[in-house]
Amino acid sequence: MKEIYIKARAKVNLNLEILGKREDNYHNLESVFQKVNLYDEIYIKKTQTDDFKLNINVKALNTKENIIYKAYVKLKEQYKVISGIEVTVNKKIPMQAGMAGGSTDCAAFMIAMNKLFNLKLSKEDMESLGRSLGADVVPCFYNKAIKAEGIGDIITNIDTHFKYYMVIIKPEIACNTKEMYQKIDNKKDIKQLHTTNSIIKALENEDVQLLANNLYNVFEEVVQEKEIIQHIKKELIKNGALQALMTGSGSCVYGIFKDKQLAKNAYRALKDTYQTYICTSYNVKKGEMF
């Protein structure tokens, strides 16, 4: 095999609860991650050199701070069989959006490298390497709905293939993850709803109304542009969403719809005003990972 192509799928958080700050300054969380069929495209080609070359359609990301480059360096340190590569990324997932764009690119890149160079990395090997690169990388290995705990690295599989429809809006604001966690730390009176069990039940029973009724994100309590987020949520609900929620630490907001036609109608109504995407939940049919 000389080259490989992989889709790096975005995620949304169906709920997100912060359970406290750890001694290592990370935070313990509980969240149901749902992969969706919005994705970045990654092409990797072996080269005759010993170098790493990155082509990406977002100029600001074409640096050695890119998480894909960091993953390459770590893999090459451990596996001498790895040669030079040329990586091309067609980025479609919005940035600073709470959709794990960088983390899912990293996870997909590692899975592709494992296949391209026949590294024979186990699930545990992948997770260990992913954990060293970023807190969100581990859940991004799973191309389906999962429960994430710890810093996001303790994964529980959810038995579901539920397909439901979403419209996602990226506001003209960006949320800095580190700053959002600091705001959580500074706010003492947050009441969390603990909806994980209800969300898992909704996914397993394919109950879209129960799912919509239990969407929750603690970061909505501290987002500075709360009025903008709330306005977009109201716009989605006004256009047929059963409920809407900000994902991750922001700033994307998604609405869940009862059926495809309602989602299409909302997308058409909102796309000229906002940066808008329409997609479905994604749960891979075979295996746990990509």
Side-chain angles (χ1 to χ4, degrees), residues 155-207:
I155 307 300
T156 303
N157 186 47
I158 298 172
D159 183 17
T160 185
H161 297 298
F162 186 25
K163 181 179 178 180
Y164 51 95
Y165 295 85
M166 300 176 211
V167 172
I168 301 169
I169 290 176
K170 172 64 170 73
E172 291 182 1
I173 57 170
C175 295
N176 181 285
T177 301
K178 186 177 179 181
E179 290 176 6
M180 292 293 282
Y181 274 103
Q182 287 171 348
K183 288 175 183 176
I184 291 283
D185 293 337
N186 294 333
K187 192 171 174 67
K188 304 301 180 188
D189 56 344
I190 293 176
K191 182 182 178 183
Q192 304 204 69
L193 297 186
H194 306 296
T195 62
T196 299
N197 290 340
S198 296
I199 286 173
I200 292 172
K201 182 180 178 183
L203 292 172
E204 290 177 340
N205 294 326
E206 301 195 359
D207 187 337

Short mmCIF file of all heavy atoms in Angstrom, two decimals, residues 155-207:
data_model
loop_
_atom_site.label_atom_id
_atom_site.label_comp_id
_atom_site.label_asym_id
_atom_site.label_seq_id
_atom_site.Cartn_x
_atom_site.Cartn_y
_atom_site.Cartn_z
N ILE A 155 -13.77 5.05 27.94
CA ILE A 155 -14.82 4.90 26.92
C ILE A 155 -15.74 3.73 27.25
O ILE A 155 -15.27 2.63 27.55
CB ILE A 155 -14.19 4.68 25.52
CG1 ILE A 155 -13.17 5.79 25.19
CG2 ILE A 155 -15.27 4.57 24.46
CD1 ILE A 155 -13.72 7.18 25.17
N THR A 156 -17.03 3.98 27.16
CA THR A 156 -18.03 2.92 27.27
C THR A 156 -18.83 2.89 25.98
O THR A 156 -19.37 3.92 25.56
CB THR A 156 -18.99 3.16 28.46
OG1 THR A 156 -18.21 3.27 29.67
CG2 THR A 156 -19.98 2.01 28.60
N ASN A 157 -18.88 1.73 25.37
CA ASN A 157 -19.62 1.57 24.11
C ASN A 157 -21.13 1.69 24.35
O ASN A 157 -21.64 1.25 25.38
CB ASN A 157 -19.30 0.21 23.50
CG ASN A 157 -19.90 0.03 22.14
OD1 ASN A 157 -19.80 0.90 21.28
ND2 ASN A 157 -20.54 -1.10 21.92
N ILE A 158 -21.85 2.30 23.42
CA ILE A 158 -23.31 2.37 23.46
C ILE A 158 -23.85 1.54 22.31
O ILE A 158 -23.43 1.70 21.16
CB ILE A 158 -23.80 3.83 23.36
CG1 ILE A 158 -23.28 4.65 24.55
CG2 ILE A 158 -25.33 3.89 23.30
CD1 ILE A 158 -23.55 6.14 24.45
N ASP A 159 -24.77 0.64 22.63
CA ASP A 159 -25.31 -0.29 21.64
C ASP A 159 -26.41 0.41 20.83
O ASP A 159 -27.59 0.35 21.16
CB ASP A 159 -25.87 -1.53 22.34
CG ASP A 159 -26.37 -2.57 21.34
OD1 ASP A 159 -26.01 -2.47 20.15
OD2 ASP A 159 -27.14 -3.47 21.76
N THR A 160 -26.00 1.12 19.81
CA THR A 160 -26.98 1.86 18.99
C THR A 160 -26.50 2.02 17.56
O THR A 160 -25.30 2.13 17.31
CB THR A 160 -27.24 3.25 19.60
OG1 THR A 160 -28.28 3.90 18.85
CG2 THR A 160 -26.01 4.13 19.58
N HIS A 161 -27.46 2.01 16.64
CA HIS A 161 -27.21 2.40 15.25
C HIS A 161 -28.24 3.46 14.84
O HIS A 161 -28.59 3.58 13.67
CB HIS A 161 -27.29 1.18 14.32
CG HIS A 161 -26.25 0.15 14.62
ND1 HIS A 161 -24.91 0.40 14.52
CD2 HIS A 161 -26.36 -1.14 15.04
CE1 HIS A 161 -24.23 -0.68 14.85
NE2 HIS A 161 -25.09 -1.62 15.17
N PHE A 162 -28.69 4.22 15.82
CA PHE A 162 -29.77 5.19 15.63
C PHE A 162 -29.33 6.30 14.68
O PHE A 162 -28.32 6.96 14.91
CB PHE A 162 -30.17 5.77 16.99
CG PHE A 162 -31.37 6.68 16.97
CD1 PHE A 162 -32.34 6.60 15.99
CD2 PHE A 162 -31.53 7.62 17.98
CE1 PHE A 162 -33.44 7.43 16.00
CE2 PHE A 162 -32.63 8.46 18.00
CZ PHE A 162 -33.59 8.36 17.01
N LYS A 163 -30.10 6.50 13.61
CA LYS A 163 -29.83 7.58 12.66
C LYS A 163 -30.88 8.67 12.86
O LYS A 163 -32.07 8.44 12.75
CB LYS A 163 -29.90 7.06 11.23
CG LYS A 163 -29.60 8.12 10.16
CD LYS A 163 -29.67 7.49 8.78
CE LYS A 163 -29.41 8.52 7.68
NZ LYS A 163 -29.47 7.93 6.33
N TYR A 164 -30.41 9.87 13.19
CA TYR A 164 -31.31 11.00 13.34
C TYR A 164 -30.66 12.23 12.71
O TYR A 164 -29.46 12.22 12.39
CB TYR A 164 -31.66 11.25 14.82
CG TYR A 164 -30.47 11.33 15.75
CD1 TYR A 164 -29.90 12.56 16.10
CD2 TYR A 164 -29.90 10.18 16.29
CE1 TYR A 164 -28.82 12.64 16.95
CE2 TYR A 164 -28.81 10.25 17.14
CZ TYR A 164 -28.27 11.48 17.46
OH TYR A 164 -27.18 11.56 18.29
N TYR A 165 -31.45 13.27 12.50
CA TYR A 165 -31.04 14.39 11.66
C TYR A 165 -30.73 15.63 12.49
O TYR A 165 -31.39 15.91 13.49
CB TYR A 165 -32.14 14.70 10.63
CG TYR A 165 -32.31 13.56 9.66
CD1 TYR A 165 -33.13 12.47 9.97
CD2 TYR A 165 -31.60 13.53 8.46
CE1 TYR A 165 -33.25 11.40 9.09
CE2 TYR A 165 -31.72 12.47 7.59
CZ TYR A 165 -32.54 11.40 7.91
OH TYR A 165 -32.65 10.35 7.05
N MET A 166 -29.71 16.37 12.05
CA MET A 166 -29.28 17.58 12.74
C MET A 166 -29.04 18.70 11.73
O MET A 166 -28.62 18.46 10.60
CB MET A 166 -27.96 17.37 13.47
CG MET A 166 -27.96 16.31 14.53
SD MET A 166 -26.28 16.15 15.19
CE MET A 166 -26.29 14.42 15.60
N VAL A 167 -29.28 19.92 12.19
CA VAL A 167 -28.81 21.11 11.50
C VAL A 167 -27.86 21.81 12.46
O VAL A 167 -28.17 22.00 13.64
CB VAL A 167 -29.97 22.03 11.09
CG1 VAL A 167 -29.43 23.36 10.54
CG2 VAL A 167 -30.84 21.35 10.04
N ILE A 168 -26.66 22.14 11.96
CA ILE A 168 -25.61 22.72 12.79
C ILE A 168 -25.30 24.12 12.29
O ILE A 168 -25.17 24.35 11.08
CB ILE A 168 -24.33 21.86 12.73
CG1 ILE A 168 -24.64 20.43 13.22
CG2 ILE A 168 -23.22 22.49 13.57
CD1 ILE A 168 -23.52 19.44 12.95
N ILE A 169 -25.20 25.06 13.22
CA ILE A 169 -24.88 26.44 12.87
C ILE A 169 -23.58 26.85 13.57
O ILE A 169 -23.42 26.64 14.78
CB ILE A 169 -26.02 27.40 13.27
CG1 ILE A 169 -27.24 27.16 12.37
CG2 ILE A 169 -25.57 28.86 13.19
CD1 ILE A 169 -28.45 27.98 12.73
N LYS A 170 -22.65 27.43 12.82
CA LYS A 170 -21.41 27.99 13.37
C LYS A 170 -21.57 29.50 13.45
O LYS A 170 -21.59 30.18 12.43
CB LYS A 170 -20.23 27.63 12.47
CG LYS A 170 -18.91 28.32 12.85
CD LYS A 170 -18.42 27.90 14.21
CE LYS A 170 -17.00 28.39 14.50
NZ LYS A 170 -16.92 29.84 14.77
N PRO A 171 -21.72 30.04 14.67
CA PRO A 171 -21.84 31.50 14.80
C PRO A 171 -20.53 32.20 14.44
O PRO A 171 -19.47 31.56 14.36
CB PRO A 171 -22.14 31.69 16.30
CG PRO A 171 -22.40 30.33 16.85
CD PRO A 171 -21.73 29.36 15.95
N GLU A 172 -20.60 33.50 14.31
CA GLU A 172 -19.39 34.28 14.00
C GLU A 172 -18.64 34.62 15.27
O GLU A 172 -18.18 35.75 15.48
CB GLU A 172 -19.78 35.55 13.23
CG GLU A 172 -20.27 35.25 11.82
CD GLU A 172 -20.62 36.52 11.05
OE1 GLU A 172 -20.46 37.63 11.61
OE2 GLU A 172 -21.06 36.40 9.90
N ILE A 173 -18.54 33.66 16.16
CA ILE A 173 -17.74 33.80 17.38
C ILE A 173 -16.95 32.51 17.54
O ILE A 173 -17.30 31.48 16.99
CB ILE A 173 -18.63 34.02 18.64
CG1 ILE A 173 -19.64 32.87 18.82
CG2 ILE A 173 -19.33 35.36 18.59
CD1 ILE A 173 -20.38 32.89 20.13
N ALA A 174 -15.85 32.60 18.28
CA ALA A 174 -15.04 31.42 18.57
C ALA A 174 -14.88 31.32 20.08
O ALA A 174 -14.81 32.34 20.78
CB ALA A 174 -13.68 31.55 17.90
N CYS A 175 -14.84 30.11 20.59
CA CYS A 175 -14.70 29.88 22.02
C CYS A 175 -13.36 29.19 22.28
O CYS A 175 -13.07 28.16 21.69
CB CYS A 175 -15.84 29.02 22.55
SG CYS A 175 -17.46 29.80 22.43
N ASN A 176 -12.55 29.79 23.15
CA ASN A 176 -11.27 29.22 23.53
C ASN A 176 -11.50 28.18 24.63
O ASN A 176 -12.00 28.51 25.70
CB ASN A 176 -10.33 30.32 24.01
CG ASN A 176 -8.97 29.79 24.39
OD1 ASN A 176 -8.81 29.18 25.44
ND2 ASN A 176 -7.98 30.03 23.56
N THR A 177 -11.14 26.93 24.36
CA THR A 177 -11.45 25.84 25.29
C THR A 177 -10.84 26.08 26.67
O THR A 177 -11.50 25.90 27.70
CB THR A 177 -10.94 24.50 24.72
OG1 THR A 177 -11.58 24.28 23.47
CG2 THR A 177 -11.27 23.36 25.65
N LYS A 178 -9.58 26.49 26.71
CA LYS A 178 -8.90 26.72 28.00
C LYS A 178 -9.63 27.79 28.82
O LYS A 178 -9.86 27.63 30.03
CB LYS A 178 -7.45 27.15 27.74
CG LYS A 178 -6.61 27.28 29.01
CD LYS A 178 -5.17 27.64 28.66
CE LYS A 178 -4.34 27.81 29.93
NZ LYS A 178 -2.93 28.17 29.61
N GLU A 179 -10.03 28.88 28.15
CA GLU A 179 -10.74 29.94 28.85
C GLU A 179 -12.11 29.47 29.34
O GLU A 179 -12.56 29.87 30.42
CB GLU A 179 -10.90 31.15 27.92
CG GLU A 179 -9.60 31.88 27.64
CD GLU A 179 -9.77 33.01 26.63
OE1 GLU A 179 -10.93 33.31 26.24
OE2 GLU A 179 -8.74 33.59 26.22
N MET A 180 -12.77 28.63 28.56
CA MET A 180 -14.08 28.13 28.97
C MET A 180 -13.98 27.27 30.22
O MET A 180 -14.81 27.36 31.13
CB MET A 180 -14.72 27.35 27.82
CG MET A 180 -15.10 28.20 26.63
SD MET A 180 -16.44 29.37 26.97
CE MET A 180 -17.86 28.28 26.89
N TYR A 181 -12.95 26.45 30.31
CA TYR A 181 -12.74 25.65 31.51
C TYR A 181 -12.43 26.53 32.72
O TYR A 181 -12.87 26.25 33.85
CB TYR A 181 -11.63 24.62 31.29
CG TYR A 181 -12.11 23.34 30.67
CD1 TYR A 181 -11.90 23.07 29.31
CD2 TYR A 181 -12.77 22.37 31.42
CE1 TYR A 181 -12.35 21.89 28.73
CE2 TYR A 181 -13.21 21.18 30.85
CZ TYR A 181 -13.00 20.95 29.51
OH TYR A 181 -13.44 19.78 28.94
N GLN A 182 -11.66 27.60 32.50
CA GLN A 182 -11.36 28.53 33.59
C GLN A 182 -12.63 29.18 34.13
O GLN A 182 -12.80 29.36 35.34
CB GLN A 182 -10.37 29.61 33.11
CG GLN A 182 -8.96 29.08 32.92
CD GLN A 182 -8.04 30.08 32.24
OE1 GLN A 182 -8.47 31.10 31.69
NE2 GLN A 182 -6.74 29.80 32.27
N LYS A 183 -13.56 29.48 33.22
CA LYS A 183 -14.83 30.07 33.64
C LYS A 183 -15.65 29.09 34.47
O LYS A 183 -16.30 29.47 35.45
CB LYS A 183 -15.63 30.53 32.41
CG LYS A 183 -15.06 31.77 31.74
CD LYS A 183 -15.82 32.10 30.46
CE LYS A 183 -15.20 33.28 29.75
NZ LYS A 183 -15.87 33.57 28.47
N ILE A 184 -15.61 27.81 34.09
CA ILE A 184 -16.28 26.77 34.88
C ILE A 184 -15.68 26.72 36.28
O ILE A 184 -16.40 26.65 37.29
CB ILE A 184 -16.16 25.39 34.19
CG1 ILE A 184 -16.98 25.34 32.90
CG2 ILE A 184 -16.56 24.27 35.15
CD1 ILE A 184 -18.47 25.20 33.08
N ASP A 185 -14.35 26.77 36.36
CA ASP A 185 -13.66 26.71 37.66
C ASP A 185 -14.04 27.89 38.55
O ASP A 185 -14.13 27.76 39.77
CB ASP A 185 -12.14 26.70 37.46
CG ASP A 185 -11.64 25.42 36.80
OD1 ASP A 185 -12.35 24.40 36.88
OD2 ASP A 185 -10.55 25.46 36.22
N ASN A 186 -14.26 29.04 37.93
CA ASN A 186 -14.54 30.27 38.70
C ASN A 186 -16.00 30.42 39.08
O ASN A 186 -16.34 31.26 39.91
CB ASN A 186 -14.09 31.50 37.90
CG ASN A 186 -12.58 31.54 37.71
OD1 ASN A 186 -11.84 30.99 38.53
ND2 ASN A 186 -12.12 32.16 36.64
N LYS A 187 -16.87 29.64 38.46
CA LYS A 187 -18.30 29.75 38.74
C LYS A 187 -18.70 28.68 39.75
O LYS A 187 -18.54 27.49 39.50
CB LYS A 187 -19.11 29.60 37.44
CG LYS A 187 -20.59 29.99 37.58
CD LYS A 187 -21.26 30.02 36.22
CE LYS A 187 -22.75 30.25 36.29
NZ LYS A 187 -23.12 31.57 36.78
N LYS A 188 -19.21 29.10 40.88
CA LYS A 188 -19.44 28.16 41.99
C LYS A 188 -20.86 27.62 42.08
O LYS A 188 -21.11 26.66 42.79
CB LYS A 188 -19.09 28.86 43.32
CG LYS A 188 -17.68 29.44 43.40
CD LYS A 188 -16.62 28.37 43.20
CE LYS A 188 -15.20 28.96 43.27
NZ LYS A 188 -14.18 27.97 42.89
N ASP A 189 -21.79 28.21 41.39
CA ASP A 189 -23.20 27.86 41.61
C ASP A 189 -23.82 27.13 40.41
O ASP A 189 -25.00 27.29 40.12
CB ASP A 189 -24.02 29.12 41.92
CG ASP A 189 -23.89 30.18 40.83
OD1 ASP A 189 -22.96 30.06 40.01
OD2 ASP A 189 -24.72 31.10 40.80
N ILE A 190 -23.01 26.33 39.72
CA ILE A 190 -23.52 25.62 38.55
C ILE A 190 -24.31 24.39 39.00
O ILE A 190 -23.82 23.57 39.78
CB ILE A 190 -22.38 25.20 37.61
CG1 ILE A 190 -21.72 26.44 36.99
CG2 ILE A 190 -22.89 24.28 36.51
CD1 ILE A 190 -20.53 26.15 36.14
N LYS A 191 -25.52 24.28 38.49
CA LYS A 191 -26.34 23.11 38.76
C LYS A 191 -26.33 22.23 37.50
O LYS A 191 -26.78 22.65 36.45
CB LYS A 191 -27.78 23.53 39.10
CG LYS A 191 -28.68 22.35 39.45
CD LYS A 191 -30.10 22.83 39.74
CE LYS A 191 -31.00 21.64 40.03
NZ LYS A 191 -32.41 22.06 40.26
N GLN A 192 -25.80 21.01 37.64
CA GLN A 192 -25.71 20.12 36.48
C GLN A 192 -26.87 19.13 36.49
O GLN A 192 -27.36 18.75 37.55
CB GLN A 192 -24.36 19.42 36.48
CG GLN A 192 -23.19 20.43 36.50
CD GLN A 192 -21.92 19.88 35.94
OE1 GLN A 192 -21.81 19.64 34.75
NE2 GLN A 192 -20.93 19.71 36.79
N LEU A 193 -27.28 18.71 35.31
CA LEU A 193 -28.53 17.96 35.17
C LEU A 193 -28.36 16.44 35.15
O LEU A 193 -29.32 15.70 35.37
CB LEU A 193 -29.27 18.40 33.90
CG LEU A 193 -29.71 19.86 33.85
CD1 LEU A 193 -30.54 20.10 32.60
CD2 LEU A 193 -30.52 20.24 35.09
N HIS A 194 -27.13 15.94 34.86
CA HIS A 194 -26.84 14.50 34.88
C HIS A 194 -27.84 13.71 34.01
O HIS A 194 -28.64 12.93 34.51
CB HIS A 194 -26.84 13.98 36.31
CG HIS A 194 -25.92 14.74 37.21
ND1 HIS A 194 -24.54 14.77 37.02
CD2 HIS A 194 -26.16 15.53 38.28
CE1 HIS A 194 -23.98 15.53 37.95
NE2 HIS A 194 -24.94 16.01 38.72
N THR A 195 -27.74 13.93 32.73
CA THR A 195 -28.70 13.32 31.79
C THR A 195 -28.13 12.12 31.02
O THR A 195 -28.78 11.60 30.12
CB THR A 195 -29.18 14.38 30.77
OG1 THR A 195 -28.06 14.84 30.00
CG2 THR A 195 -29.84 15.56 31.45
N THR A 196 -26.93 11.68 31.36
CA THR A 196 -26.25 10.63 30.59
C THR A 196 -27.11 9.37 30.43
O THR A 196 -27.26 8.85 29.32
CB THR A 196 -24.91 10.26 31.24
OG1 THR A 196 -24.07 11.43 31.26
CG2 THR A 196 -24.20 9.17 30.45
N ASN A 197 -27.65 8.87 31.51
CA ASN A 197 -28.41 7.61 31.45
C ASN A 197 -29.63 7.73 30.55
O ASN A 197 -29.96 6.81 29.79
CB ASN A 197 -28.81 7.14 32.85
CG ASN A 197 -27.61 6.68 33.67
OD1 ASN A 197 -26.56 6.35 33.11
ND2 ASN A 197 -27.75 6.65 34.97
N SER A 198 -30.30 8.88 30.62
CA SER A 198 -31.48 9.09 29.77
C SER A 198 -31.09 9.17 28.30
O SER A 198 -31.81 8.66 27.43
CB SER A 198 -32.20 10.38 30.19
OG SER A 198 -32.71 10.26 31.51
N ILE A 199 -29.96 9.80 28.02
CA ILE A 199 -29.49 9.90 26.63
C ILE A 199 -29.12 8.53 26.08
O ILE A 199 -29.47 8.18 24.94
CB ILE A 199 -28.32 10.90 26.52
CG1 ILE A 199 -28.87 12.33 26.64
CG2 ILE A 199 -27.56 10.73 25.21
CD1 ILE A 199 -27.82 13.39 26.71
N ILE A 200 -28.43 7.73 26.87
CA ILE A 200 -28.08 6.38 26.43
C ILE A 200 -29.34 5.56 26.16
O ILE A 200 -29.45 4.86 25.15
CB ILE A 200 -27.17 5.70 27.47
CG1 ILE A 200 -25.80 6.40 27.49
CG2 ILE A 200 -27.01 4.21 27.15
CD1 ILE A 200 -24.89 5.94 28.61
N LYS A 201 -30.32 5.67 27.04
CA LYS A 201 -31.60 4.97 26.85
C LYS A 201 -32.26 5.42 25.55
O LYS A 201 -32.77 4.59 24.77
CB LYS A 201 -32.52 5.22 28.04
CG LYS A 201 -33.86 4.49 27.96
CD LYS A 201 -34.72 4.80 29.18
CE LYS A 201 -36.08 4.11 29.07
NZ LYS A 201 -36.96 4.45 30.23
N ALA A 202 -32.24 6.72 25.28
CA ALA A 202 -32.85 7.26 24.06
C ALA A 202 -32.15 6.71 22.82
O ALA A 202 -32.80 6.34 21.83
CB ALA A 202 -32.79 8.78 24.08
N LEU A 203 -30.82 6.65 22.85
CA LEU A 203 -30.07 6.14 21.70
C LEU A 203 -30.33 4.65 21.49
O LEU A 203 -30.52 4.19 20.35
CB LEU A 203 -28.57 6.38 21.90
CG LEU A 203 -28.11 7.84 21.86
CD1 LEU A 203 -26.65 7.94 22.27
CD2 LEU A 203 -28.33 8.46 20.50
N GLU A 204 -30.36 3.89 22.57
CA GLU A 204 -30.57 2.45 22.45
C GLU A 204 -31.99 2.11 21.99
O GLU A 204 -32.21 1.12 21.29
CB GLU A 204 -30.26 1.77 23.79
CG GLU A 204 -28.77 1.79 24.12
CD GLU A 204 -28.43 1.19 25.47
OE1 GLU A 204 -29.35 1.09 26.34
OE2 GLU A 204 -27.26 0.83 25.67
N ASN A 205 -32.96 2.96 22.38
CA ASN A 205 -34.36 2.72 22.00
C ASN A 205 -34.79 3.52 20.78
O ASN A 205 -35.97 3.48 20.40
CB ASN A 205 -35.28 3.05 23.18
CG ASN A 205 -35.08 2.12 24.36
OD1 ASN A 205 -34.79 0.95 24.17
ND2 ASN A 205 -35.21 2.63 25.57
N GLU A 206 -33.86 4.27 20.19
CA GLU A 206 -34.12 5.10 19.00
C GLU A 206 -35.31 6.03 19.24
O GLU A 206 -36.22 6.16 18.41
CB GLU A 206 -34.32 4.22 17.76
CG GLU A 206 -33.10 3.35 17.48
CD GLU A 206 -33.07 2.72 16.10
OE1 GLU A 206 -34.03 2.94 15.34
OE2 GLU A 206 -32.07 2.03 15.79
N ASP A 207 -35.26 6.71 20.37
CA ASP A 207 -36.33 7.62 20.81
C ASP A 207 -35.84 9.07 20.67
O ASP A 207 -35.17 9.60 21.56
CB ASP A 207 -36.71 7.31 22.26
CG ASP A 207 -37.92 8.09 22.75
OD1 ASP A 207 -38.21 9.16 22.19
OD2 ASP A 207 -38.56 7.63 23.73
#
